[in-house]
Amino acid sequence: MDKIIVKGGPALQGEVKVSGAKNAALPILASSLLADGVSTYRNVPDLVDVGTMLKVLNTMGCEAERLTGRQKNVCQVGVNGHITPEAPYDLVKTMRASVLVLGPLVARYGRARVSMPGGCAIGARPIDQHLKGLKALGAEITLTEGYVEARAKHLKGGTVNFDLITVTGTENVMMAAVLAKGRTVLENCAREPEIEELARVLNKMGAKIEGAGTSVITIDGVDSLRPVDHAILPDRIEAGTLLVAAAISGGDVLVKHAVPEHLEAVVMKLREAGCVITAENGGMRLKAPKGIHPVDVTTTEHPGFPTDMQAQLMVLMCVASGTSVISENIFENRFMHVAELHRMGADITIQGPTAVVKGVKKLSGAPVMATDLRASASLILAGLRAEGRTEVSRVYHLDRGYERLERKLRSLGADIRRVKA
Ligand code: EPU
C-alpha cells in the first residue's frame, strides 16, 4: 500500500487547479441509466470512487469507460436498454454511493436490486430516507439477503417530506421522479451545489426539475430522456482543502476554478482565522496571516459549514493562537483524525460531538494512519506544517476522493512524495 511522506516547512506559493467534483460525478454517472445512447461527461476526476461507479455500471451491462491520454478526464457511458438492474455486494461494500443507481433503475427498468450499504468509518449512514422517497412514488421495497429490492411497473409522482436532510437521498429520489407519471414535490431537500448540478444534467437530458438548490424541488415526470454531454463543476471540498493548505503553510496560493459561492461558509471561517481571501482570475487566492486566530465551527448542511471540511479546518486550528470549539453535527463518528493528530503533538479534547482544540506552538512529524477520505487529507495538511517527517499510511482513502493531491501540493513547493509499497 502506498504511503505519502511530507516534510513540513515550505510556504506554498503559486497556482493550482481544482479537479471536477467527486460528489457530483457519482450521481451524474448513475443518471446515465435513465436514457438510451452514449452520454459524455467531461472534467470527471480520476478517482478510485469514480472508477467504482464505472464498474457498477459495467456490471449491469452499460459500456462505461474513462478515455485515455489528453482525454483522461472524459468518461463515456453507453446504455442500450439491456440492463441487469443489480448492484452487487462486492462493489457496494467498497463504495456506499453505489446506492445512487437505485432511483434511476427502478424509474427506468421497473426493478432494482442493490446490495444494502452497511455503515462506514464515519457513521451508521442508513438509507431509510431514500427508501421512504421511492415508496412515496409507488415503489414496493423489500429487503432480502442483504439486498434492497425496489419494484414498480411505473412510478407515480408524489410528495416526499424528508425527515432529515440527505444529499444522496435527495439525488436518488430526484432521479426516480424524473420518469414518474405526474408531479413530484420533494420537501426538506439538501441544497448542495452537487444537487443543483445533477438537476442541471437531468434537465439537459429533457427532465423538468425546478427548485434544485432550495429545500423544495418540483419535478414533472417526462416519458423519456436523452443522453447528454456535460462538463462537471469544480470540487468545492478539494478547493477548500487547497485553501487550508495555503493557510497552514503560511503561503500565498491561487486556487483556480474554485467557486466562491460554493465556499461561503468555509471562506468566512478562514477569514475569521485571519486569512486574506480574494476572488481572482476565475479562482480564489488565499494569503496566509502571520498567526492563525482560533475560530469556532459547527458543521451543518449546505449552505452551512461542510462536514467534509471539518477535519481540514481542525488541523488549522491545531496551530492557532488560542482555543477553538469544533462541533460535528452530520456524522456521529467523524473525529478519527484526532487520535492521529495527537501523535503529532496536537492538543484536542473530544466531548461528545464537540472537539476542543487548543492551539500548540508546533506540530511534529510522525507516522500516522489515514482512516477515511477527509481525515487523510487533514493528516497531509498537518504534515505540511509539522517539524520533520510525517508518513501517512493507508492513502487509498485519499485516492478515493482527491486527484493526485500530492502532485498538486508539490507543484506549489511542498516537500511531499508518494512511495509505492
Ligand atoms: N441519513 C439517515 N438516513 C438516510 C440518509 C442519511 O439517517 O436515509 C443521515 C446520515 O447517517 C447522516 C446524515 O443523514 O448522519 C447526512 O447524510 P447524507 O445522506 O446527507 O450523506 P450522504 O448523502 O451519504 C454525502 C456525501 C458525503 C458528505 C455528506 C454530507 C456523496 C457521494 N457523499 O453523503 O461525502 O459527507 O453527503 O454532506 O455525495 C466525502 O466526500 O468525503 C463524503 C463523505
Side-chain angles (χ1 to χ4, degrees), residues 300-372:
T300 51
E301 298 86 0
H302 193 78
F305 191 91
T307 173
D308 292 345
M309 280 297 299
Q310 177 258 108
Q312 300 89 316
L313 196 92
M314 188 184 294
V315 169
L316 187 62
M317 291 306 109
C318 285
V319 294
S321 58
T323 300
S324 319
V325 177
I326 298 184
S327 302
E328 170 58 54
N329 275 333
I330 306 294
F331 292 112
E332 64 272 24
N333 194 23
R334 217 178 193 183
F335 281 147
M336 278 170 308
H337 40 286
V338 169
E340 300 303 299
L341 291 171
H342 281 157
R343 309 193 64 253
M344 299 179 72
D347 182 345
I348 307 168
T349 314
I350 297 191
Q351 297 162 357
T354 299
V356 179
V357 186
K358 285 191 189 149
V360 292
K361 288 235 152 50
K362 72 173 179 96
L363 294 173
S364 329
V368 285
M369 219 162 56
T371 47
D372 72 70

Side-chain angles (χ1 to χ4, degrees), residues 45-339:
D46 188 2
L47 305 171
V48 171
D49 274 7
V50 170
T52 305
M53 185 55 90
L54 295 175
K55 268 192 212 152
V56 170
L57 294 170
N58 280 322
T59 310
M60 290 180 201
C62 304
E63 289 195 7
E65 60 166 358
R66 177 179 291 284
L67 305 191
T68 52
R70 291 168 70 94
Q71 290 202 297
K72 69 176 173 38
N73 287 112
V74 179
C75 288
Q76 287 189 317
V77 183
V79 180
N80 67 7
H82 300 293
I83 291 288
T84 310
E86 178 161 328
Y89 174 67
D90 278 354
L91 290 173
V92 181
K93 76 171 186 212
T94 65
M95 185 182 73
R96 305 176 43 79
S98 313
V99 78
L100 283 164
V101 298
L102 192 58
L105 285 177
V106 68
R108 179 84 201 291
Y109 300 95
R111 188 175 89 85
R113 188 165 182 270
V114 175
S115 174
M116 182 82 171
C120 81
I122 61 177
R125 306 181 76 180
I127 57 160
D128 54 301
Q129 298 303 306
H130 302 228
L131 303 184
K132 169 181 163 163
L134 296 177
K135 274 187 203 158
L137 303 188
E140 198 181 298
I141 307 279
T142 49
L143 183 62
T144 37
E145 297 170 346
Y147 279 75
V148 182
E149 270 199 51
R151 282 175 188 270
K153 264 219 172 82
H154 205 134
L155 293 176
K156 290 195 188 71
T159 298
V160 181
N161 191 317
F162 292 108
D163 299 333
L164 49 79
I165 297 178
T166 157
V167 176
T168 48
T170 302
E171 292 166 346
N172 230 340
V173 184
M174 185 162 85
M175 287 191 279
V178 290
L179 289 180
K181 218 170 178 49
R183 174 168 285 196
T184 297
V185 180
L186 306 181
E187 296 167 350
N188 198 26
C189 294
R191 291 179 282 163
E192 269 69 2
E194 292 76 20
I195 291 185
E196 278 187 77
E197 177 77 346
L198 173 63
R200 212 172 283 130
V201 170
L202 293 168
N203 283 341
K204 267 192 185 178
M205 294 170 81
K208 293 191 175 149
I209 304 174
E210 277 180 18
T214 73
S215 53
V216 180
I217 302 179
T218 306
I219 303 148
D220 284 312
V222 295
D223 290 338
S224 64
L225 296 171
R226 49 184 180 271
V228 75
D229 187 328
H230 184 80
I232 289 175
L233 88 176
D235 194 308
R236 65 195 162 95
I237 304 301
E238 188 200 2
T241 304
L242 291 166
L243 290 173
V244 175
I248 200 162
S249 70
D252 177 351
V253 171
L254 174 62
V255 181
K256 291 180 87 171
H257 306 320
V259 181
E261 303 79 66
H262 296 169
L263 280 158
E264 278 171 3
V266 172
V267 166
M268 198 171 84
K269 289 297 165 186
L270 290 175
R271 283 193 177 134
E272 257 179 73
C275 303
V276 176
I277 302 179
T278 45
E280 205 176 290
N281 258 340
M284 292 164 76
R285 175 180 292 281
L286 184 143
K287 286 187 195 168
K290 282 234 154 53
I292 302 286
H293 306 307
V295 296
D296 296 342
V297 175
T298 299
T299 63
T300 51
E301 298 86 0
H302 193 78
F305 191 91
T307 173
D308 292 345
M309 280 297 299
Q310 177 258 108
Q312 300 89 316
L313 196 92
M314 188 184 294
V315 169
L316 187 62
M317 291 306 109
C318 285
V319 294
S321 58
T323 300
S324 319
V325 177
I326 298 184
S327 302
E328 170 58 54
N329 275 333
I330 306 294
F331 292 112
E332 64 272 24
N333 194 23
R334 217 178 193 183
F335 281 147
M336 278 170 308
H337 40 286
V338 169

